[in-house]
Amino acid sequence: MAISLSNNKGMGARTKARLRRQVRGRKSIFGTTERPRLVVTRSSRHIVAQVVDDTVGRTLASASTMEADLRAASGDKSAKAKQVGSLVAERAKQAGVENVVFDRAGNKYHGRIAALAEGAREAGLGF
């Protein structure tokens, strides 16, 4: 596991709680070749989605709001997250992925996280 919960002295309470939730989720969520893991990373400004095959340790597809075409897109952050979801779903389908396991990384399934998942489902990615 890449997350250390023992060395978090200067970390805020909300970040510590999110990391605890992330570790709890990672115990049961594992991406296989048939069903890779759709990982969502969220910051205050951007959102990144990756489709990862954990058996090989390889990223199969990714999309982000930091890409030039999405950076120039209009709308609020939730609308951009929905666009990221549909874009990562298209790229995953090109890579031969039909179904994924959703890894929200300790974030609440609410707002931008839910919008990304909804965009991916509408683009044809199965959860």
Side-chain angles (χ1 to χ4, degrees):
M1 217 175 300
I3 301 166
S4 174
L5 292 177
S6 61
N7 187 15
N8 51 14
K9 197 170 188 180
M11 214 178 281
R14 293 179 74 174
T15 308
K16 285 181 188 178
R18 190 188 65 78
L19 286 177
R20 276 197 310 272
R21 288 191 304 268
Q22 183 176 4
V23 168
R24 266 199 323 260
R26 287 279 166 84
K27 288 179 188 175
S28 61
I29 298 172
F30 188 79
T32 61
T33 307
E34 297 83 31
R35 257 184 104 177
R37 183 168 51 106
L38 175 61
V39 187
V40 179
T41 307
R42 186 185 73 91
S43 73
S44 61
R45 183 179 290 179
H46 294 289
I47 193 159
V48 179
Q50 294 179 327
V51 178
V52 178
D53 182 3
D54 288 325
T55 56
V56 184
R58 203 181 87 173
T59 300
L60 305 172
S62 67
S64 168
T65 55
M66 292 181 273
E67 297 175 11
D69 55 340
L70 288 176
R71 209 181 256 270
S74 63
D76 60 347
K77 291 187 271 188
S78 293
K80 287 184 180 182
K82 193 169 185 175
Q83 290 176 345
V84 168
S86 63
L87 187 60
V88 77
E90 290 172 14
R91 291 178 181 171
K93 289 191 131 206
Q94 288 175 358
V97 176
E98 295 293 325
N99 294 318
V100 294
V101 178
F102 190 63
D103 181 8
R104 56 189 174 84
N107 296 304
K108 289 183 179 179
Y109 188 83
H110 172 48
R112 288 189 280 159
I113 304 294
L116 188 139
E118 182 183 330
R121 280 192 191 102
E122 287 177 1
L125 200 60
F127 281 50

